[in-house]
Amino acid sequence: MVAPVAAITLSAAEQSAADGAHQLAFGAYVRPGSGQTKQQAVQALESQLGRTLGVSREFLLWDEAFPTTYHNWLRDGGRTLIVSAKAKRLNGTSVPWASIANATPGSVLHDELISWVDRLAAFGVPIYFTLSHEPEASTNLSLGTDAEFVAAWRKLVTIARNRNVTNVKFMWIMTDYAFSLPPTERRFADKWYPGDAWVDAAGIDPYNWNTCRPDTPNSWRSLATLIEPFRLWSVNHPNLELWLTEFASVEDPADPTRKSNWIDAARSLFNNPLYARFTGISYYHGEHPTAQYPLCKWWMNTSTNSLNASISLANDPLYGGSPTPTTTTTSTTTSTTQAPTTTAIVVVGDGANPAAGDVTVINRLTSRGFHTSVIDDAAVTAGASADVIVVSSSVDSNVFGTKLRTTASPVLTYKPFSLPKLGMTTDAAMGTITTASVDIVLAHPIAGGTGNIALTTTAKAIGWGTPAASADIMGTSSGKPTIFSYDKNDLLVDGSPAPSCRATLPMRHDSLTTATANMWATFDAATDWANAC
């Protein structure tokens, strides 16, 4: 069931009075996956959730086309748009807020303001519009000050009113953090507020980062905790609609049910009368858009548990859904929805603050289409499961122990002291050797080249080990095996069959800045081999 567009034009109080019960609009920002169009991405998510989204969150640049056939398709399917226009052009140049505020009739910028207003009006249905969402964020420093933002906002709204635009609601959107800061702080929310007379709705973008963002406090926070400062702020602005314009949580590697429980708690939160003024919620179905925080995976389907909780949320009658949601017991990534269909786990020494080399490997896997999770060596368990598990040289072998000794998932390791723990060598038959190259001695999918291949631009320490006779040795250095593998059921050094494919690679997390294309070719070939195992 799609939340009716007309309902979204009412305040929360008006909706409750009209329907006899409070109902919120439900939607999402949907990030396209590899090879997907925006429309295909939305259709894929809707297919998994079992309903049409009531709201679609859209991000545009200042001179980007609107509406497109995609936007018209969203509208014609009954989805209400929340459009954010960033004050930056397609060519990367900024449109300072002061220049918007001071634009004079007849100027190019004033014509562009009129164009935005007229196009929104011509869209023909209720629509929400935001100028520069999260203006206080550091990414917007080049656009101007808080006072300049307020002046630009008021200029846009004034033009819309002068042109008698009635279908557009102007929504002011901030980070959740801005509402918890003291008045002396630059990002303090009230400094950026245009005023009740200039705002129709207020939105907030709360995220449960947990440990995926090293520059924020590493703690698991409920949605109620995140939005409470915003809710308290709203008491003094009683006529505004309230929205979660973006919200999401990461998984907790140590607890596979923690994210799903977080979503369940978010679902029930808005039954509380304290939140009766909220009009809608929009989940951020994607991952952090920059390489700065590669561990921040927000997708609804990062696990089967989380997908099932998202299905229940989307289909709850409180959010315009059907009363009998259908959950799934299949793999988290059974369709071409945004989350990649192949999973990888990287086990590292510090899951909260991965080493630079670990981040490089994480990014490599992600760029190759793997949905990549990171687990601290202290948190990894025998139940860890993925299409490929990578053990970094940053792990502490004593902490890592034998936890993955019996895993049925393929394992790639470049921690030499993990080899005995995985049954790949004995304690006495492994170590490190300093070299810049290896000799390929056996043609194999992992080999990544032929003859003597350079791995790093300068000699670095890599692991070696002497495996059981059943293993395939592909690379050596000074006669010591540095690349070798076991196929599933090959006999390990203790005579037991390998429960999965396993291989060791000639890498170190602290020397990847000097890695050559040959090393990355070997790593890529090994991940493909393990995934196909």
Side-chain angles (χ1 to χ4, degrees):
M1 175 180 173
V2 180
V5 171
I8 302 174
T9 67
L10 302 178
S11 70
E14 291 168 332
Q15 176 67 56
S16 180
D19 292 347
H22 179 50
Q23 187 179 87
L24 289 84
F26 170 80
Y29 163 73
V30 186
R31 182 177 178 178
S34 178
Q36 284 184 320
T37 65
K38 291 181 179 180
Q39 181 171 327
Q40 289 170 338
V42 171
Q43 289 171 321
L45 176 61
E46 291 178 336
S47 176
Q48 280 201 321
L49 295 179
R51 64 160 288 177
T52 301
L53 297 175
V55 173
S56 182
R57 183 89 162 86
E58 300 297 318
F59 300 96
L60 297 174
L61 295 176
W62 184 255
D63 53 350
E64 198 164 352
F66 178 85
T68 64
T69 54
Y70 165 66
H71 299 131
N72 291 336
W73 172 79
L74 290 171
R75 176 198 62 197
D76 296 343
R79 306 168 191 85
T80 295
L81 274 64
I82 300 175
V83 174
S84 292
K86 191 175 183 67
K88 288 192 176 181
R89 299 187 184 277
L90 290 165
N91 64 9
T93 60
S94 297
V95 183
W97 293 318
S99 65
I100 295 174
N102 297 323
T104 56
S107 66
V108 171
L109 193 50
H110 195 272
D111 288 345
E112 289 174 337
L113 283 165
I114 291 175
S115 174
W116 263 116
V117 168
D118 287 352
R119 283 179 287 153
L120 292 166
F123 201 52
V125 297
I127 186 170
Y128 292 86
F129 185 79
T130 298
L131 172 64
S132 296
H133 76 287
E134 301 179 7
E136 84 288 8
S138 59
T139 53
N140 290 322
L141 285 172
S142 65
L143 299 178
T145 66
D146 50 3
E148 290 167 341
F149 168 76
V150 168
W153 182 282
R154 291 182 177 182
K155 179 63 166 276
L156 176 64
V157 173
T158 297
I159 290 175
R161 288 175 177 171
N162 288 341
R163 299 179 78 80
N164 297 315
V165 175
T166 58
N167 66 312
V168 181
K169 289 195 173 183
F170 291 94
M171 186 187 294
W172 175 68
I173 299 175
M174 301 285 284
T175 64
D176 63 288
Y177 193 55
F179 294 90
S180 61
L181 295 170
T184 54
E185 228 277 358
R186 181 191 68 82
R187 295 166 293 174
F188 178 60
D190 277 339
K191 290 182 177 180
W192 300 86
Y193 186 54
D196 286 354
W198 306 91
V199 176
D200 300 305
I204 185 177
D205 296 342
Y207 286 85
N208 177 33
W209 300 86
N210 195 27
T211 60
C212 80
R213 182 175 173 176
D215 59 353
T216 61
N218 295 327
S219 63
W220 187 270
R221 295 188 294 170
S222 69
L223 183 62
T225 299
L226 290 167
I227 68 175
E228 182 61 10
F230 173 64
R231 189 192 68 80
L232 293 174
W233 173 89
S234 73
V235 171
N236 293 320
H237 307 275
N239 295 320
L240 294 179
E241 290 184 24
L242 305 182
W243 280 78
L244 298 188
T245 42
E246 301 170 35
F247 78 105
S249 175
V250 293
E251 296 279 357
D252 182 352
D255 183 349
T257 66
R258 203 172 189 188
K259 177 175 177 177
S260 59
N261 290 338
W262 189 94
I263 295 172
D264 285 338
R267 171 191 172 193
S268 62
L269 181 66
F270 295 96
N271 276 308
N272 189 316
L274 285 174
Y275 304 93
R277 284 182 53 205
F278 280 84
T279 301
I281 62 175
S282 175
Y283 193 90
Y284 189 95
H285 185 60
E287 56 193 50
H288 200 277
T290 70
Q292 185 179 7
Y293 307 119
L295 310 183
C296 298
K297 313 293 185 185
W298 309 113
W299 316 97
M300 291 182 183
N301 56 354
T302 46
S303 68
T304 300
N305 288 333
S306 295
L307 176 58
N308 285 337
S310 298
I311 291 171
S312 296
L313 167 62
N315 288 278
D316 191 314
L318 178 63
Y319 305 98
S322 64
T324 55
T326 302
T327 58
T328 178
T329 56
T330 59
S331 169
T332 301
T333 51
T334 55
S335 79
T336 56
T337 308
Q338 283 45 248
T341 58
T342 310
T343 58
I345 290 173
V346 182
V347 185
V348 301
D350 187 347
N353 296 287
D358 291 336
V359 173
T360 300
V361 167
I362 294 161
N363 288 341
R364 185 83 180 186
L365 289 164
T366 301
S367 70
R368 301 193 71 239
F370 287 87
H371 174 267
T372 310
S373 301
V374 179
I375 299 182
D376 190 285
D377 52 10
V380 69
T381 66
S385 177
D387 294 303
V388 181
I389 297 178
V390 178
V391 179
S392 168
S393 54
S394 67
V395 305
D396 183 324
S397 297
N398 293 323
V399 174
F400 174 72
T402 59
K403 295 174 182 176
L404 295 180
R405 174 67 179 78
T406 60
T407 182
S409 297
V411 178
L412 304 176
T413 181
Y414 45 98
K415 175 71 173 183
F417 294 94
S418 72
L419 296 174
K421 313 290 187 183
L422 293 167
M424 298 171 68
T425 70
T426 64
D427 286 316
M430 58 84 199
T432 61
I433 185 171
T434 301
T435 182
S437 64
V438 297
D439 296 310
I440 301 302
V441 296
L442 176 69
H444 188 279
I446 295 179
T450 58
N452 182 269
I453 62 172
L455 300 174
T456 52
T457 55
T458 57
K460 300 289 183 179
I462 61 172
W464 67 271
T466 302
S470 61
D472 293 320
I473 299 174
M474 291 80 78
T476 64
S477 183
S478 300
K480 296 183 181 295
T482 52
I483 309 175
F484 60 85
S485 68
Y486 292 86
D487 290 320
K488 183 177 181 179
N489 293 325
D490 282 350
L491 297 182
L492 300 172
V493 291
D494 63 358
S496 64
S500 63
C501 293
R502 297 179 174 186
T504 185
L505 300 175
M507 301 167 56
R508 271 190 65 88
H509 72 282
D510 53 5
S511 63
L512 292 180
T513 55
T514 64
T516 65
N518 291 326
M519 178 178 285
W520 288 119
T522 299
F523 179 79
D524 292 348
T527 55
D528 289 342
W529 168 81
N531 182 37
C533 179

